[in-house]
Structure formats: structure tokens, C-alpha cells
Amino acid sequence: MTFTRRRLAAFGAGLAAAGGFGKSAFADPLPDALDRLREIFPVDPPPFSFTDASGKKLTLADYRGSGLVVNFWATWCFPCKQEMPTLAALNKVLTPEGILVLPISVNSTGAAAVKPYFAARHIEGLPVLLDPSSSALGAFKAQGIPLTVIIDRKGQMVARTLGGANWNTPAVASRIRGLVGAKPAAATPA
């Protein structure tokens, strides 16, 4: 590859954006999700649909009664790659409490990209969910990915964040529990 002035300028701009020579932005740890998460007045999320790996059409209404951490991501997105293991760990902690992590991939190739990605990185316990048209990003007026929204047990959006974050801390799990509300008590026989 020949280095022209334009290529050298672009390379230098990239290094500057990464924090300078000798320092890589990729080596920086993810910020804690508590630092990024912004609560919002409870509001109905915009309508959108997505599919599971078998092609079954789903909406958030299919998960009514569960607390949700809905994450829009892609296999080519570096912050998404960093945070996916932390989302899998969060899912493992919260699923027994009826709070689910729904990672919805916006890869245009759908399950063909996500399944091998999860397998190669040993991402377990998360469903393969797909929005290859990225229509949900338009519905949420997202300016990028990863985008994560927190949905309470009533189906209302109560918080959101844009950008990669570390979701694998006890404080984050506790905050999400508080945002989604208590799990309804099981009915006792009379």
C-alpha cells in the first residue's frame, strides 16, 4: 500500500481520535453502564418487530410481564463486541428474576452472522434475535449502536443509553431491578 498525503493525514487523524500515538482507544475499558444509563419518563416504546433465529416474528409485547434489557448491536461494531459478554453475564444473573436481555442484531446477514459469532466467542444464554433491516433503529431514532433500552414489566421504556457499556456489575443489576419493578408474586392456592 502506498502512503499518500491523504492516507497519512487520515492515519494521523485516526490516531488522534484514538487518544494519540502509542495509545489505542480499543484498549480502554468500557464505562460502567450506570454512568451511561439515562432514565426517562416512562413511555411506550415505538412499535417494531424482529425475528428469532427460526424466523418467527416477535414484538416486545411477546415478553409482557418480564423486565427487558433490549440491546441493538452488530457483529462488526467494536463497542458491541466489547459489551456482549457483559450482557450475557447480566442475563445469567437476572433471568431467574424474570428480567431478560434481548440482544437484537442489526446485521444485514441475520443469523448467518450472529450464530457463528456467538459460538466463536462462547456467548451463551442469549437468544439469537434479528432485525436485518435495522427498522427498529429508525423507530427509536437511534444515532448509532449499540443502543440499549430498559423496558419495565408494564412494557414501558424507562431508560436508555447509546454506546458500549459494562453491564456485568452488581450495582448495574441492582439498578435494572429497580427500574423494571418487582417480579409479581406467584398466586397462592386458596
Side-chain angles (χ1 to χ4, degrees):
M1 168 164 61
T2 305
F3 281 98
T4 63
R5 284 186 191 170
R6 181 175 289 178
R7 281 196 180 144
L8 284 173
F11 179 73
L15 283 174
F21 290 94
K23 179 180 176 189
S24 170
F26 302 127
D28 292 339
L30 286 170
D32 190 286
L34 289 181
D35 295 336
R36 288 197 177 257
L37 201 57
R38 301 293 174 245
E39 289 185 44
I40 59 175
F41 187 77
V43 62
D44 290 334
F48 71 99
S49 64
F50 51 99
T51 64
D52 65 12
S54 69
K56 179 182 176 189
K57 187 176 177 179
L58 299 166
T59 68
L60 294 180
D62 293 311
Y63 299 91
R64 182 77 55 157
S66 296
L68 302 176
V69 177
V70 182
N71 177 265
F72 299 97
W73 72 287
T75 60
W76 45 261
C77 162
F78 186 78
C80 302
K81 290 178 186 183
Q82 285 185 294
E83 79 175 351
M84 192 55 61
T86 73
L87 286 164
L90 178 70
N91 190 59
K92 187 175 183 180
V93 169
L94 294 180
T95 294
E97 302 172 39
I99 303 170
L100 308 173
V101 174
L102 303 181
I104 302 174
S105 167
V106 296
N107 281 79
S108 61
T109 55
V114 177
K115 285 181 177 182
Y117 178 88
F118 277 7
R121 288 160 184 80
H122 308 289
I123 304 292
E124 298 175 352
L126 291 176
V128 174
L129 301 172
L130 311 163
D131 178 20
S133 69
S134 302
S135 62
L137 295 178
F140 279 94
K141 297 179 174 53
Q143 297 174 353
I145 59 171
L147 169 67
T148 306
V149 295
I150 310 299
I151 309 289
D152 69 13
R153 295 182 192 277
K154 297 174 194 169
Q156 296 204 302
M157 188 168 51
V158 293
R160 70 183 277 159
T161 184
L162 181 63
N166 178 10
W167 298 92
N168 186 21
T169 71
V172 169
S174 178
R175 186 69 193 124
I176 290 172
R177 287 181 191 106
L179 286 167
V180 303
K183 185 176 182 179
T188 56

